[in-house]
């Protein structure tokens, strides 16, 4: 595996770069990231993985400084998974002028996760646009774990006419259901146990939805689980339309259950898309 730290090195290593498969990450790699690398391997072209903790997507009170970083470990995992080029830029490479021209993520960027983390999706859209311009990927791989991020990136690709095809990988979970996340590294043993409430609330929402409940009833079922979970502070628990992220249309069979909660000082998100059979 080759390592590019500057835009120039990236250009040299990717050359005319036909059919590049790109996996953007913030590092602290885990099986979720590696599943995207394996999906990227299936399209056959060179695989570029970026590791960049993007300051613009962190709020001033968030965990930018403490975000887990372990470059040596990440590079060895990426190399073993089959990445051809790791792009590991410093912030000055991505924001050479400080960065006053940015990408607005649109209305979808201001609800739910965007409301809880003002400016977050503006940072995401901006960095993804920059990385797409540098890597010029044919395909880019994102995890369903960050469902709203996928929708924001898809919207950006559609509206700004990017030529990259977005491919979405399923959520990778631990055996007990906890969604893998770099932020799980912050959890104590007890915190990790408490964090399972997010998965339990999604399962409760799923059960209510499959039993014929309304979106509101699914949300109530999710909230009931979170309300009795010790040390878990929910931000939101909702049942939305999987495309628009607003209230599902009357009569729909498909909802996306979304949950965000703080476990101690660690903020976690998870989601589950559920389709019920018509009877
Ligand atoms: P991050 O490093 O957290 O920015 O994540 C990089 C990419 O990996 C994003 O597209 C995430 O959605 C994806 N990802 C993170 N966790 C998981 C997971 N548990 N399963 C699948 N994809 C994931």
């Amino acid at each position: 595996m080759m390592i590019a730290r500057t835009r120039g090195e990236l250009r040299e290593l990717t050359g005319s770069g036909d059919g590049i498969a790109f996996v953007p990450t913030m590092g602290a790699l885990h099986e979720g990231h590696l599943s995207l690398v394996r999906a990227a391997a299936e399209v056959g072209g060179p695989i570029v993985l970026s590791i960049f903790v993007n300051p613009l997507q962190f709020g001033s009170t968030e965990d930018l400084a403490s975000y887990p970083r372990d470059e040596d470990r990440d590079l060895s995992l990426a190399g073993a998974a089959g990445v051809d080029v790791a792009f590991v830029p410093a912030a000055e490479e991505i924001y050479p002028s400080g960065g006053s021209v940015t990408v607005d993520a649109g209305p979808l960027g201001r609800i739910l996760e965007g409301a809880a983390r003002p400016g977050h999706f503006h940072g995401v859209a901006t960095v993804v646009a920059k990385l797409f311009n540098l890597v010029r990927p044919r395909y880019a791989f994102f995890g369903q774990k960050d469902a709203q991020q996928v929708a924001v990136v898809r919207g950006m690709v559609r509206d700004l006419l990017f030529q990259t095809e977005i491919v979405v990988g399923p959520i990778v979970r631990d055996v007990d259901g906890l969604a893998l996340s770099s932020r799980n590294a912050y959890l104590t043993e007890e915190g990790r146990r408490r964090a399972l409430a997010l998965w339990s609330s999604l399962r409760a929402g799923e059960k209510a939805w499959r039993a014929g409940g309304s979106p509101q009833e699914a949300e109530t079922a999710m909230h009931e689980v979170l309300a009795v979970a010790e040390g878990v502070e929910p931000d939101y628990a909702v049942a939305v339309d999987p495309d628009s992220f607003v209230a599902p249309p009357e009569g729909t069979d498909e909802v996306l259950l979304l949950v965000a909660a703080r476990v101690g000082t660690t903020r976690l998100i998870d989601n589950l898309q559920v389709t019920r059979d018509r009877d």
Side-chain angles (χ1 to χ4, degrees):
M1 184 179 71
M2 295 172 294
I3 299 168
R5 294 193 182 275
T6 64
R7 303 189 299 272
E9 286 170 6
L10 180 70
R11 201 173 320 116
E12 262 169 45
L13 293 178
T14 52
S16 57
D18 274 348
I20 289 179
F22 178 42
V23 183
T25 83
M26 299 204 299
L29 299 185
H30 52 64
E31 221 11 72
H33 301 111
L34 300 179
S35 72
L36 296 178
V37 173
R38 284 193 287 273
E42 279 175 32
V43 300
I47 303 174
V48 177
L49 175 132
S50 62
I51 299 173
F52 180 61
V53 183
N54 173 35
L56 197 61
Q57 71 187 69
F58 286 78
S60 57
T61 60
E62 293 183 355
D63 57 345
L64 173 63
S66 60
Y67 196 82
R69 291 167 172 87
D70 189 342
E71 189 182 296
D72 291 343
R73 181 175 173 278
D74 285 348
L75 292 176
S76 85
L77 286 172
V83 169
D84 296 293
V85 177
F87 180 43
V88 193
E92 303 76 58
E93 285 294 317
I94 303 296
Y95 296 98
S97 70
S100 54
V101 178
T102 54
V103 180
D104 186 312
L108 180 59
R110 291 186 273 277
I111 60 174
L112 296 166
E113 209 44 20
R117 304 182 65 187
H120 172 65
F121 286 122
H122 161 247
V124 168
T126 300
V127 81
V128 172
K130 285 167 177 265
L131 291 169
F132 281 8
N133 282 334
L134 292 174
V135 177
R136 284 168 292 150
R138 170 82 183 81
Y139 304 96
F141 293 77
F142 290 85
Q144 176 65 14
K145 164 74 170 30
D146 299 279
Q148 197 177 352
Q149 169 171 279
V150 168
V152 162
V153 170
R154 279 195 195 285
M156 183 188 79
V157 164
R158 180 195 63 218
D159 291 345
L160 298 187
L161 314 177
F162 277 91
Q163 304 282 312
T164 298
E165 189 175 316
I166 304 303
V167 185
V168 181
I171 302 176
V172 178
R173 301 180 177 281
D174 259 333
V175 280
D176 57 7
L178 184 69
L180 299 192
S181 163
S182 302
R183 290 191 167 94
N184 291 352
Y186 297 140
L187 297 170
T188 59
E189 207 175 306
E190 188 185 37
R192 200 199 164 289
R193 256 196 318 277
R194 291 177 165 182
L196 280 174
L198 277 81
W199 178 231
S200 306
S201 80
L202 291 171
R203 296 301 298 270
E206 175 185 32
K207 198 166 160 210
W209 180 249
R210 285 201 199 282
S214 63
Q216 293 69 32
E217 283 164 333
E219 291 179 359
T220 301
M222 293 166 75
H223 278 293
E224 278 170 3
V225 170
L226 296 168
V228 297
E230 218 176 302
V232 177
E233 285 290 323
D235 260 355
Y236 57 82
V238 293
V240 297
D241 174 76
D243 297 318
S244 63
F245 286 69
V246 298
E250 196 71 35
T252 187
D253 297 318
E254 199 164 22
V255 288
L256 178 63
L257 307 173
L258 295 167
V259 62
R262 265 158 293 122
V263 179
T265 54
T266 305
R267 190 169 179 285
L268 299 173
I269 59 171
D270 199 354
N271 70 85
L272 184 65
Q273 192 159 329
V274 197
T275 308
R276 66 181 167 204
D277 301 329
R278 275 173 196 275
D279 44 27

